[in-house]
Every structure is written in structure tokens, then in C-alpha cells.
């Protein structure tokens, strides 16, 4: 006689699928300005609530409100707007270039521009990001040349990575941008190691780790949190929750945990959740966490709540797994439009100037693209030499590789 | 010259490099205060402080991943995986990251790390304290793989590995930690104090990576081997009376092809010996290379003596371990062909 009903497996499902009406009514969105701003040396226990709320600065009327507002000048915000618009224009051109066969692959940032662009502005020279493939805003806001990015995407003769790496897996050491790997989450623990090294050398530079919602399920995410917590490493642990890991909704990675930010609490790491489409909120929270790290107060985990508006990549069709109009229903809106509206409310911007800026930025991106294409695209024009394929496996080429290079006839 | 065990020689190498280079850091499970489960890091934390030598959480991917980040910063981590059998959780970090960082970043970032791992069987270690996973590293472009067989080499090779600008997998045959082993478990254990290779020079010296050494000169057959099997092969040569030339490869990648080719072209015969399982083991690569480079000098098929293609058993240790009789049989058969 069995006293128990048969067990059953729970497989989470998103609220809606293709053909359904998008529905985010179950996503609680706190009012802008409603979340406290604790001192950077606050006891992690005392700020547990920040892992379950959403820090927001910009309200529906485009006003900056509450304790996290007031950090950025008009000029800084206009610069931020320009970075986001540049990233969006860059994405659009490279997406098209992929469709035209000028490269094999591209991944865009639509809807997530504020996260990497604003975070980058909160860092200091010498700090190091350990990004995923969806933080090109770190490069653009860091002043990395668009032409170099495009040459990497085109794998052409000016590709800084000599054609060895898939498009968008950039590397730019001098710009605080660690080499992007195709293997997910590996860089999260590496960021912690870099931060530990900075502490070992009594440096004041800090590291920033980046991961998406889906990849938090990888074991290196957990290794990173353990190491960051154990060694009080000066690292900001960023989770970009854009709701989707290719076709898999975030509930599959999150499971029964209330939020991704809450994962930090079990490790004793203070965790904040922020409106990822609010440039001002992202900047303010980043500044807070970076200040904590720099004061040797240890790691901070930040969950950016955002939405992946575009396809996962140029190899993906989201209409196969989510409603086509879901991004329109996303309650946190569009980061570019929200910052634009805020600047207009501030009296620092106008619709006309925005239109003009859009045209100017597109023009600059096209100019860069034309230059990059002069150095070749994937299937046409200049390309890295076949000899480059054998270089850099080791510092010095060992005899067996020299033989193989000879066999290859290069 | 002072005689040291392999453990003492390895500790001496880390001590010397930590003293010479402030960027050398040592960490791993039980490596700090306690000095390691094999005592390889004993005293280093007391001497250099917790900033330089410290205990790590039980997370192999965490240990290697953190070391890669430190190397990207500019340090030279020399880290320990407690047993090579436990490196698998770190395999992604080793293969996808450490090995490829220089290549994929076009040299912007490099990974001068050493991953020390006790390896090999012959100690009743069963399935998870006996494995020899070197072929899982030699197949990975961007890694160097080292297996010392005695204290003198262990120190010089480890210093060279720590100084090397690329990631090095440093496999330490734990059966050899305290003394040489010919594969006769019933015989009394001998210590390095009684062996000339236990003589370890004081101070800094290197044994270059990529250079094999002839342990026994011979003219009849070339034995290509490394680690514990060097001594087993020596015993087999003595017992069979076959004039074997025994080459201790020491470094598997990069491989000393010149030494291999010179010896096999001289002897015309070749036997490859390793503890690791046979199929797709490093011996297969050695056989292929010898066949490619010495075909017209070969007078017999190249033989392989290796662990069986089974997980490493416990009770059947000495049926599994390729001892002197199995190696001797291969030598005799190769000579008869």
C-alpha cells in the first residue's frame, strides 16, 4: 500500500507562446524612485530586499526621480544616448551585412544597449571587463574604433584577431575588454581571478564579470560566486536577464528562485536588481557596486532586468518560440527612447535634434563600414594570411607546428 | 649533492620561483596552511604569506578559471588539482580557455599557468586515484604536457614550466613521489635517498621543456616511455637481457622527435610503454610518428604496452598495471620479429 500519489516532473513554461497575446502582467515593476539607496558599506543582510525589487530612476513622464537619480550631467547623458544610438546603428548595419553575405554571423543588442553602455561609463581606466558576446556597448562607450570592430566581424586583413575568431567575439585589452570566448560562463570565474590578482598585488583596479540569464545555470557561475565570496574579490558580478536564452525562457535557468539577483544572497554577496532599460539606473547601480569593490568591501551581484528584442543571433528565428509582438509589450520599454524622452524633459534635447543625431550617427557608422570593407569582407578582398593560422598557438612555434605550416605550403 | 624526494624537489621548485618572482602564486585544495595532501606545498604559506599560497574551495573549474583570470592580469599561478582523476570539472577551462587564450586574442592575453596534478597508478588508488589522462591534454593545441620521472628532473622541469609563457600541464607520478618503482609491489620500497637521480642541485636550474633524455643506452630496441614506466622498462630490459635503449620523454608536447628518430633509426625496433589505457592513448601518437619518420628503418612492428581499456580497478591492480613481465614480453616479441 503506497501512501503517496505518483510523482510528476515540473517543466516550467513561459506564460505565452507564438500566437498568444504577450503578457507581462505577472512581472512586478516597482515605481521609479521607490527603492532605497543604501551606503556602499551597508551590511549585505540589511539590503536583502534589493535583490527582489527593481531599482529605477526614470518614471513614465521621463523624469529622473528618487535616491539613485542625479549623478549624470546633461553632457554625460547626451554622450550615453549617442553611445546607445551608435550601438543600435552598428547592429543594424552589421545585421544587414550578414544578410548580404559579407560575414557569416552576427549578434545584436536591440533593447539591451543601456546595460553595457552605462556600465562602461562607471568604470575607471585599467578596470577589466570579462564580457559575453552581447556587451559591445562596453567597446563603443569605451571609445574602441568602430572600424576595428567591423574588421573583426569581417575577418579581413585588418582584423585585430587575424581571422581566428568568430564574428563579435572581440578582444581589446587596452580598452578593458577581455577576449570573448564561445564557451558560456567561463569568463565569470576568470573575472574573479583577475580581481583576486588585483587584490594580491594591492592594486586598486577592479574587474567586472558578465553573464546572461541562461548561462547562470553553468557551473562556472557558481564557482565564481564561491570564489568571489570567499576571497572578498573586488569584482562586480553582472547578470543580464533579457528573459531569453536562445529559445529557452528565463524560468528554466532560474527555477524556483525568485530572481537571479537572489542567487547572490546565499553566497553572502549583496545583490541588486535594476531596470536594465534605464540608463540612469544602470549607471547609478554600477557606480555603487564599483565603489564598493574599489573600497575593498567585496563583490556585488547585479541583475539587469531587460528584454532581448532581437533574435538571439543571425541564425535564430524567435517567432518559432515567442509571440512576435512580445517586445512591444515589455513593460520597461526601450532604453534609447526612454533616455531621449528624459533629455527632452530636461530641456537638453528635442525630437528634431534626435532625428538629426540619428542621421549623423548612421552616417558615421556607414563611413566606418566603408573603410572596414576596403580591408575586405569574409568572402571578398583582403584577408588574414594562412600563416597567421599557425601563429600564436604558443609564444614560440614548436617544431610540429612548423612542419604543419610547411605542409600547408604557407 | 643533496638528495631529495620528488615531493621535496617539487616544493623546492615552487619555493625558488616564489622567491624569485613576486607574480608566482600557489593555490589549490588543502595547499595552503596544511601544505597539500602530498606535502608538496608544505611551508610555502608560512614563508610567503596567504597572499601567495592559499587554500581554495573544492572546485576544480574554479581553481583553473581563477588562475586564468590571474594570468590575464599578469600573475604566474602554479596551481594544484589534488588528483589528475579530478581534473574533469576543470577540463572546459583548460581546453576552451587556458589553451586558446593567446591564439584567440592574438596575443593580447596570455596564460602562463602551471596546473600540477598527481597522476598514475600502482598505489591501490582504484578508479579515481590512479588515472593517467595525459592523452586528454596532448590532444589539445595550446597546451604543453610534462611528466617527470625523478626528483632532479621534476625540479628543473617545474621551474621551466613556471617560467614558460604558455599553459603547462604538469603530471606528477605519485607512485614516484618517495622513491623509484620498478613494478614489483612485493619488493621493499626503495627511497630516492638511495638513487642517483635523487640528487637535486640546490638553487635555480631548469630542465628545458621538449627535451627527452636517454635513461639507458642500447642498440637492440628503443623504448619510448615516461613517468613510472621508465623504471619498469629498465627492470624489463635487465630481466630479459635485451639491450634496450630507454628514452624518458619527459615532455609529451612539445615532443623531442630528434631523440626519438635518432634512436629508432639506430635500433630499428620500437616499443611504446605507458600506464594510460591503450586506445587513443598517447602511445598511438608515438606509434604514428615513428611509423611516419622511421618506416624504412623498422625491422618489426611497433609494439605498445599500456593499461587495459578498462577503468582502473582496485583489487586487480597488478593485473592492470603494465609491469616488467608484460613489458619484457613485448621486448622479446619485438626482437623475435
Amino acid at each position: 500500500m503506497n501512501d503517496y500519489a505518483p510523482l510528476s516532473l515540473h517543466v516550467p513554461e513561459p506564460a505565452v507562446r507564438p500566437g498568444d497575446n504577450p503578457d507581462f502582467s505577472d512581472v512586478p515593476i516597482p515605481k521609479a524612485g521607490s527603492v532605497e539607496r543604501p551606503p556602499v558599506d551597508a551590511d549585505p543582510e540589511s539590503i536583502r530586499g534589493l535583490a527582489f525589487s527593481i531599482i529605477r530612476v526614470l518614471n513614465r513622464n521621463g523624469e529622473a526621480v528618487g535616491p539613485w537619480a542625479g549623478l549624470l550631467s546633461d553632457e554625460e547623458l547626451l554622450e550615453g544616448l549617442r553611445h546607445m544610438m551608435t550601438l543600435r546603428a552598428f547592429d543594424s548595419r552589421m545585421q544587414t551585412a550578414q544578410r548580404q553575405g559579407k560575414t557569416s554571423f552576427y549578434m545584436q543588442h536591440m533593447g539591451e544597449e543601456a546595460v553595457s553602455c552605462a556600465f562602461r561609463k562607471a568604470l575607471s581606466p585599467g578596470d577589466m571587463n570579462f564580457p559575453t558576446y552581447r556587451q559591445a556597448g562596453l567597446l563603443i562607450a569605451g571609445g574602441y574604433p568602430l572600424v576595428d570592430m567591423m574588421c573583426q566581424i569581417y575577418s579581413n586583413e585588418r582584423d585585430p584577431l587575424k581571422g581566428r575568431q568568430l564574428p563579435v567575439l572581440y578582444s581589446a585589452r587596452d580598452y578593458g575588454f577581455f577576449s570573448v570566448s564561445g564557451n558560456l560562463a567561463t569568463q565569470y570565474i576568470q573575472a574573479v581571478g583577475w580581481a583576486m590578482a588585483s587584490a594580491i598585488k594591492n592594486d586598486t583596479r577592479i574587474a567586472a564579470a558578465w553573464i546572461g540569464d541562461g548561462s547562470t545555470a553553468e557551473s562556472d557561475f557558481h564557482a565564481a560566486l564561491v570564489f568571489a565570496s570567499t576571497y572578498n574579490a573586488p569584482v562586480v558580478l553582472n547578470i543580464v536577464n533579457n528573459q531569453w536564452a536562445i529559445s529557452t525562457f528565463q524560468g528554466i535557468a532560474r527555477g524556483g528562485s525568485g530572481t537571479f539577483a537572489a542567487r547572490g544572497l546565499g553566497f553572502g554577496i549583496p545583490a541588486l536588481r535594476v531596470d536594465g532599460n534605464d540608463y540612469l539606473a544602470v549607471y547609478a547601480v554600477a557606480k555603487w557596486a564599483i565603489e564598493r569593490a574599489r573600497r575593498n568591501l567585496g563583490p556585488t551581484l547585479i541583475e539587469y532586468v531587460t528584454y532581448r528584442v532581437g533574435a538571439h543571433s543571425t541564425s535564430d528565428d524567435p517567432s518559432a518560440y515567442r509571440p512576435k509582438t512580445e517586445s512591444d509589450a515589455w513593460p520597461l520599454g526601450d532604453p534609447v527612447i526612454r533616455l531621449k524622452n528624459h533629455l527632452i524633459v530636461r530641456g537638453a534635447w528635442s525630437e528634431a535634434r534626435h532625428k538629426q543625431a540619428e542621421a549623423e550617427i548612421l552616417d558615421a557608422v556607414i563611413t566606418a563600414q566603408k573603410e572596414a570593407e576596403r580591408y575586405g569582407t569574409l568572402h571578398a578582398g583582403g584577408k588574414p594570411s594562412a600563416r597567421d593560422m599557425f601563429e600564436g598557438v604558443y609564444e614560440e612555434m614548436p617544431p610540429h607546428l612548423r612542419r604543419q605550416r610547411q605542409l600547408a605550403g604557407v | 649533492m643533496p638528495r631529495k624526494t620528488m615531493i621535496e624537489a617539487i616544493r623546492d621548485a615552487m619555493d625558488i620561483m616564489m622567491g624569485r618572482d613576486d607574480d608566482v602564486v600557489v593555490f589549490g585544495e588543502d595547499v595552503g596552511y596544511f601544505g597539500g595532501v602530498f606535502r608538496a606545498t608544505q611551508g610555502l604559506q608560512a614563508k610567503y604569506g596567504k597572499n601567495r599560497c592559499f587554500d581554495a574551495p573544492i572546485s576544480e573549474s574554479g581553481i583553473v578559471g581563477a588562475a586564468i583570470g590571474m594570468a590575464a592580469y599578469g600573475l604566474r599561478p602554479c596551481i594544484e588539482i589534488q588528483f589528475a582523476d579530478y581534473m574533469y570539472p576543470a577540463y572546459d577551462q583548460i581546453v576552451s580557455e587556458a589553451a586558446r587564450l593567446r591564439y584567440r586574442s592574438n596575443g593580447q592575453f596570455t596564460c602562463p599557468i602551471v596546473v600540477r596534478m598527481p597522476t598514475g597508478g600502482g598505489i591501490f588508488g582504484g578508479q579515481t586515484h590512479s588515472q593517467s589522462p595525459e592523452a586528454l591534454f596532448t590532444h589539445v593545441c595550446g597546451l604543453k604536457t610534462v611528466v617527470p620521472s625523478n626528483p632532479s628532473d621534476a625540479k628543473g622541469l617545474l621551474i621551466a614550466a613556471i617560467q614558460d609563457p604558455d599553459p603547462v600541464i604538469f603530471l606528477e607520478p605519485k607512485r614516484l613521489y618517495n622513491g623509484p618503482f620498478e613494478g614489483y609491489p612485493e619488493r621493499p620500497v626503495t627511497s630516492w635517498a638511495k638513487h642517483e637521480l635523487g640528487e637535486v642541485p640546490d638553487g635555480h636550474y631548469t630542465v628545458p621543456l621538449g627535451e627527452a633524455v636517454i635513461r639507458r643506452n642500447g642498440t637492440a630496441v628503443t623504448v619510448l616511455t615516461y613517468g613510472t614506466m621508465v623504471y619498469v622498462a629498465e627492470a624489463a630490459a635487465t630481466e630479459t637481457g635485451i639491450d634496450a635503449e630507454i628514452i624518458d620523454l619527459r615532455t609529451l608536447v612539445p615532443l623531442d622527435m630528434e631523440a626519438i628518430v635518432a634512436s629508432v633509426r639506430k635500433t630499428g625496433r620500437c616499443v611504446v610503454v605507458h600506464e594510460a589505457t591503450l586506445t587513443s592513448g598517447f602511445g598511438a601518437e608515438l606509434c604514428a610518428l615513428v611509423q611516419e619518420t622511421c618506416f624504412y628503418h623498422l625491422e618489426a612492428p611497433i609494439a605498445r604496452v599500456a593499461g587495459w581499456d578498462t577503468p582502473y580497478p582496485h583489487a586487480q591492480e597488478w593485473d592492470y598495471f603494465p609491469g616488467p613481465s608484460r613489458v619484457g614480453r613485448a621486448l622479446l616479441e619485438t626482437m623475435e620479429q
Side-chain angles (χ1 to χ4, degrees), chain B residues 52-313:
Chain B
R52 303 282 307 284
C53 176
F54 51 90
D55 291 314
I58 303 176
S59 169
E60 287 77 14
S61 75
I63 291 167
V64 176
I68 293 167
M70 291 179 190
Y73 177 93
L75 301 188
R76 302 184 89 89
C78 177
I79 56 175
E80 179 180 301
I81 301 293
Q82 202 157 72
F83 287 85
D85 315 62
Y86 301 133
M87 70 83 186
Y88 304 104
Y91 200 55
D92 189 28
Q93 287 287 346
I94 293 171
V95 175
S96 311
E97 303 293 322
R100 304 219 192 116
L101 187 53
R102 177 190 296 279
Y103 190 74
R104 76 169 197 241
S105 71
N106 192 25
Q108 290 175 8
F109 298 94
T110 61
C111 192
I113 68 172
V114 178
V115 188
R116 295 181 40 246
M117 305 181 196
T119 188
I123 58 151
F124 280 100
Q127 294 186 26
T128 55
H129 298 78
S130 307
Q131 296 167 31
S132 298
E134 61 270 18
L136 297 175
F137 300 116
T138 56
H139 188 57
V140 179
C141 43
L143 296 180
K144 297 180 179 177
T145 302
V146 176
V147 191
S149 69
N150 60 74
S152 171
D153 279 356
K155 178 177 168 182
L157 286 165
L158 183 52
I159 290 175
I162 293 171
Q163 293 179 176
D164 197 275
D166 290 306
V168 179
I169 305 296
F170 198 85
L171 293 159
E172 301 166 3
K174 55 191 158 316
R175 177 70 232 202
L176 302 180
Y177 270 158
N178 294 311
F181 179 65
E182 296 184 331
Y184 289 106
E186 64 281 8
R187 291 185 190 165
V189 174
T190 58
S191 85
W192 286 116
K194 296 182 179 144
H195 197 286
E196 60 178 11
L197 290 171
E199 288 188 348
V200 177
D202 285 328
H204 178 276
Y205 69 92
T206 60
V207 173
L209 305 188
E211 283 187 17
V213 65
I214 296 174
R215 288 288 169 219
R216 182 191 191 283
N217 282 295
T219 56
V221 54
T222 299
V223 178
L224 302 179
T225 189
Y226 48 92
T228 307
M229 302 314 288
V230 169
Y231 304 96
V232 174
E234 283 177 345
T238 304
E239 287 164 21
T240 56
I242 291 172
D243 188 21
E245 179 148 290
I246 297 173
I247 297 186
D248 179 354
L249 296 172
R250 302 197 289 199
T251 304
L252 308 187
V253 176
L255 187 63
D256 189 345
M257 280 307 292
E258 280 180 37
I260 293 170
V261 169
S263 178
V264 177
R265 289 191 179 171
K266 178 178 72 175
T267 63
R269 290 179 163 83
C270 182
V271 175
V272 173
V273 184
H274 59 56
E275 280 186 66
T277 52
L278 182 75
T279 301
S280 299
F282 189 65
E285 181 65 25
L286 290 170
C287 287
L289 289 167
V290 170
Q291 188 273 142
E292 286 165 13
T293 53
C294 307
F295 183 77
Y296 295 105
H297 296 77
L298 285 172
E299 294 168 38
I302 308 159
R304 279 187 290 171
V305 186
W308 308 121
D309 282 339
T310 70
Y312 205 110

Side-chain angles (χ1 to χ4, degrees), chain A residues 128 160-162 164-165 171-173 177-181 183 186 189-190 193-194 196-198 200-201 203 205 220 223 226-227 231 389 391-395 398 403, chain B residues 22-23 51 54-57 59 61-63 65-66 68-70 72-73 75 92-93 96-97 101-106 108-109 141-144 165-166 253-254 257:
Chain A
M128 185 63 74
L161 307 182
K162 305 268 189 190
R164 295 175 189 149
Q165 189 61 299
S171 180
R173 184 193 175 99
F177 190 98
F178 183 74
S179 155
V180 181
S181 168
N183 295 66
T186 50
I189 174 67
Q190 292 163 5
W194 195 99
M196 289 169 68
S198 185
I200 286 169
K201 301 303 277 186
D203 199 345
R205 293 181 286 163
D220 280 343
V226 174
F227 276 65
Y231 301 108
M389 178 169 67
E391 300 282 347
V393 181
Y394 302 90
E395 184 178 84
R403 275 196 302 277
Chain B
D22 287 343
D23 291 335
N51 245 11
F54 51 90
D55 291 314
S59 169
S61 75
I63 291 167
I68 293 167
M70 291 179 190
Y73 177 93
L75 301 188
D92 189 28
Q93 287 287 346
S96 311
E97 303 293 322
L101 187 53
R102 177 190 296 279
Y103 190 74
R104 76 169 197 241
S105 71
N106 192 25
Q108 290 175 8
F109 298 94
C141 43
L143 296 180
K144 297 180 179 177
D166 290 306
V253 176
M257 280 307 292

Side-chain angles (χ1 to χ4, degrees), chain A residues 62-403:
Chain A
E63 297 152 338
V65 295
W68 296 87
L71 298 181
L72 291 162
S73 67
D74 287 355
E75 290 68 33
E76 288 168 321
L77 288 172
L78 286 168
E79 189 192 26
L81 182 66
R82 196 182 76 238
H83 292 151
M84 290 199 289
M85 291 169 73
T86 304
L87 177 54
R88 191 164 287 186
F90 183 92
D91 272 350
S92 151
R93 297 297 300 182
M94 291 297 102
Q95 178 90 2
T96 303
Q98 190 277 337
R99 296 296 187 230
Q100 293 168 335
K102 292 175 181 172
T103 186
S104 61
F105 183 71
Y106 191 70
M107 305 180 92
Q108 53 176 334
H109 303 73
M110 180 73 84
E112 301 176 39
E113 293 90 344
V115 176
S116 51
C117 288
F119 189 90
R120 180 61 181 79
K121 294 312 288 181
L123 290 170
S124 299
D127 295 337
M128 185 63 74
N129 286 286
F130 286 74
T132 77
Y133 47 69
R134 222 186 294 280
Q135 273 88 46
L138 296 171
L139 289 172
I140 286 174
Y144 188 72
L146 298 182
V147 174
D148 289 15
M149 294 172 75
M150 289 166 173
C151 288
Q152 196 281 328
I153 290 164
Y154 289 142
S155 290
N156 64 18
E157 67 188 26
R158 292 282 182 100
D159 175 1
L161 307 182
K162 305 268 189 190
R164 295 175 189 149
Q165 189 61 299
L166 270 180
V168 314
L169 304 188
Y170 312 103
S171 180
R173 184 193 175 99
D174 295 343
Y175 292 79
F177 190 98
F178 183 74
S179 155
V180 181
S181 168
N183 295 66
L184 298 177
T186 50
Q187 77 290 346
Y188 220 58
I189 174 67
Q190 292 163 5
V192 176
W194 195 99
M196 289 169 68
S198 185
I200 286 169
K201 301 303 277 186
N202 306 125
D203 199 345
T204 57
R205 293 181 286 163
I206 65 112
W210 293 90
I211 204 165
D213 45 282
S215 302
T216 60
E218 291 279 7
S219 56
D220 280 343
F221 172 76
H222 301 85
L225 266 57
V226 174
F227 276 65
S229 170
T230 297
Y231 301 108
N232 202 45
V235 61
V236 181
L237 300 159
N238 297 305
I239 303 172
V240 183
N241 175 8
N242 68 14
Q243 316 299 318
W244 291 97
I246 307 186
S247 74
T248 307
F249 93 113
Q250 47 103 358
I252 292 284
R254 196 194 70 233
S257 171
T259 66
F260 288 98
R263 299 243 192 261
L265 301 178
F267 293 86
I269 298 173
L272 287 70
R273 218 160 162 255
V274 59
D275 178 345
N277 293 11
D278 179 339
Y279 186 94
L280 286 81
V282 170
Y283 179 84
V285 166
K287 199 84 185 154
W288 189 93
I290 290 164
E291 181 69 9
R292 257 183 62 80
R294 208 157 338 259
R295 287 184 188 276
N296 208 33
L297 297 165
T300 305
L301 188 143
I302 304 173
E303 175 185 347
Y304 303 87
V305 183
T306 183
Y307 184 87
R308 194 197 79 210
V309 175
H312 165 70
S313 72
T314 49
S315 308
D316 175 47
D317 172 16
S319 69
Y321 51 81
R322 68 184 191 188
K324 275 186 173 154
T325 55
E326 194 176 74
S327 64
D328 300 335
W330 176 243
L332 297 176
D334 179 287
V336 175
I337 293 172
R338 285 175 67 194
L339 182 55
K340 178 188 94 172
N341 290 342
H342 172 60
L343 281 161
I344 291 172
V345 167
R346 280 170 86 121
W349 202 234
S350 68
E351 288 288 356
R353 286 168 74 183
H354 191 80
K355 263 206 164 53
Q356 189 189 350
E358 246 173 2
E360 283 167 9
I361 286 167
L362 183 62
D363 195 50
V365 172
I366 289 171
T367 303
Q369 187 180 9
K370 281 181 178 159
E371 184 186 340
E373 291 183 4
R374 280 209 300 277
Y375 309 127
T377 59
L378 181 61
H379 301 296
K383 55 175 68 172
S385 107
R387 282 178 75 85
D388 289 329
M389 178 169 67
F390 293 95
E391 300 282 347
V393 181
Y394 302 90
E395 184 178 84
E396 276 187 45
M397 192 177 296
H400 69 281
L401 273 180
R402 283 205 298 273
R403 275 196 302 277

